[in-house]
Amino acid sequence: MDKARENSSPRLHLRVTPTAEWKLRSGHPWLYAESILEQNRPGEVGELAVIYDRYNNFLAIGLFDPGSPLRVRVLLVGKAQRIDSAWLRGRLLAAIERRDGLFDAQTTGYRLINGESDGWPGLVLDRYASTLVLKVYTAAWLPWLAEITPLLQEELSPEGVILRLSRNIQPLALSRFQLSDGQVLAGPALDGRVIFLETGLNFEADVLRGQKTGFFLDQRENRRRVESLAQGRRVLNAFSFSGGFSVYAARGGAAAVTDLDISAHALDSARRNFALNQSNPAVASCRHEAVQADAFDWLKEHPATEFDLIILDPPSMARRESERARAIQAYAQLLRQARTWLSSEGILVAASCSAHVSAMEFFETVRQTARKSGRRFEEIDTTGHPPDHPAAFPEANYLKSVYLRFEAGK
Ligand code: SAH
């Protein structure tokens, strides 16, 4: 079963530092190369590595990747189990069951497997109507795909399965496994974007080339919330991507929505998403504008326009720990600029998707910047991960949002 292992070679065994041992035992799913004290032989990408504790007892088993500092992604801890097709099927069924009852027929786009937090380290599976998108963030899964694809077909009966690869593993995937980003693993070739439903609204996902797996499924709950706040408001959706927040705001009765994004491609998609929902009278009567610009510059330079609801959902500004402080400053700057655009009694929705900035730190930054503006405000809510994106360890917990409603006058 262990495809990556040469039949003749012994099982790959590791011994690790006491700290790493403790971390693994407490459920952290990553083992870094520097924590490995002993290794019985060099390992192959994707083979199973068995980790023993200092007393020579079985500790964990995981997927080995000699090319990554994150050397082992843990599959299980505690009691040894045989990792085979039946085991993988069990993990898949557990993830499916976990989403049982979360979505009705009005929502056909959602996450089925959220990496480590669903027991599939470095692997994501999203459903868009009858298309499945499997996104792989570690080369260690590549030799397993031939095993996983039939499981997905048997358990989920999709029309197609698309493979997406994180950028850093694309060269190896091609040279070693003849796999490429956007490849069709099962089903007919796709001739365009996939249309799916979210809360009864139609959206397109560019599953072959789009960011993440084609859509930001993680913002669904916030989009629903925005719909409930949008009645009669002029909405600015900054960092709009394909306009998800805007279509919801329009259905919620917004007077006008402006999508602001640096990418023309994203804004074209936003226009199409609006067009896809014209059968809804509220969407049809909402004025929609798409502005292609750098949001930082546009907010700074543009003459004063007023908005009654501003959504800020920038890409991660801290991709590593060393960028954390600067990212917080940049966000505060963005907030100060956005605040000058917000009408009296305007609502601000600020989201952050950087795992390096904690929820507490982010919320405090937003509150402090709002306090410094001198205007009174009420904090309506803070939100985190949606239920189909569970986060079982600190590094997985990236998404947080805060809602502020400003009061009239000073
Ligand atoms: N809110 C979106 C997801 C945002 S993803 C949703 O719910 O679907 C971040 C978006 O920010 C991307 O579309 C990217 O093109 C855009 N972006 C990145 N840097 C930008 C900048 N400086 N100004 C404006 N948009 C930017």
Side-chain angles (χ1 to χ4, degrees), residues 27 120 349 362:
W120 291 81
V349 182
F362 175 65

Side-chain angles (χ1 to χ4, degrees), residues 212-226:
K212 289 205 169 191
T213 59
F215 198 74
F216 285 81
L217 294 169
D218 54 359
Q219 288 287 24
R220 177 193 322 106
E221 312 301 323
N222 285 321
R223 286 191 279 269
R224 289 175 173 168
R225 190 67 191 265
V226 160

Side-chain angles (χ1 to χ4, degrees), residues 48-68:
L48 293 171
V50 184
I51 305 168
Y52 289 89
D53 70 10
R54 70 196 94 167
Y55 306 113
N56 247 356
N57 294 319
F58 173 90
L59 174 61
I61 190 160
L63 295 171
F64 191 80
D65 183 357
S68 168

Side-chain angles (χ1 to χ4, degrees), residues 211 216 219 223 239-241 245 261-263 293-295 313 315:
Q211 290 190 51
F216 285 81
Q219 288 287 24
R223 286 191 279 269
F239 309 92
S240 64
F241 187 56
F245 278 108
D261 202 285
I262 203 160
S263 152
D294 181 315
D313 183 25

Side-chain angles (χ1 to χ4, degrees), residues 69-254:
L70 208 171
R71 194 59 47 93
V72 178
R73 307 241 183 184
V74 174
L75 292 171
L76 68 91
V77 184
K79 201 165 167 297
Q81 287 172 27
R82 194 188 164 78
I83 310 293
D84 56 14
S85 202
W87 187 88
L88 288 173
R89 190 187 301 272
R91 278 267 155 115
L92 172 63
L93 291 174
I96 295 171
E97 200 174 314
R98 188 170 195 176
R99 278 118 184 121
D100 213 22
L102 286 182
F103 305 105
D104 61 17
Q106 296 303 302
T107 298
T108 61
Y110 51 86
R111 181 148 298 184
L112 279 160
I113 294 178
N114 194 37
E116 283 78 352
S117 305
D118 274 308
W120 291 81
L123 182 149
V124 151
L125 181 69
D126 285 343
R127 172 189 171 197
Y128 294 102
S130 51
T131 300
L132 293 177
V133 185
L134 185 64
K135 180 140 186 185
V136 175
Y137 292 88
T138 165
W141 280 116
L142 297 173
W144 295 80
L145 291 180
E147 202 94 30
I148 294 170
T149 308
L151 283 180
L152 300 180
Q153 290 175 290
E154 286 161 29
E155 297 300 336
L156 293 156
S157 313
E159 257 169 49
V161 183
I162 307 295
L163 176 67
R164 298 297 308 273
L165 301 169
S166 68
R167 198 179 299 267
N168 57 323
I169 68 167
Q170 289 178 12
L172 181 80
L174 192 60
S175 63
R176 186 85 182 269
F177 301 95
Q178 292 76 53
L179 291 167
S180 51
D181 186 40
Q183 184 166 329
V184 177
L185 292 177
L190 272 183
D191 59 353
R193 301 164 200 92
V194 173
I195 310 285
F196 65 99
L197 279 171
E198 193 185 82
T199 331
L201 290 166
N202 296 299
F203 288 104
E204 63 167 41
D206 182 354
V207 294
L208 299 181
R209 281 169 300 269
Q211 290 190 51
K212 289 205 169 191
T213 59
F215 198 74
F216 285 81
L217 294 169
D218 54 359
Q219 288 287 24
R220 177 193 322 106
E221 312 301 323
N222 285 321
R223 286 191 279 269
R224 289 175 173 168
R225 190 67 191 265
V226 160
E227 174 174 6
S228 75
L229 295 167
Q231 181 63 49
R233 291 181 184 264
R234 297 159 297 173
V235 178
L236 173 64
N237 183 10
F239 309 92
S240 64
F241 187 56
S242 58
F245 278 108
S246 303
V247 179
Y248 275 78
R251 187 171 66 177

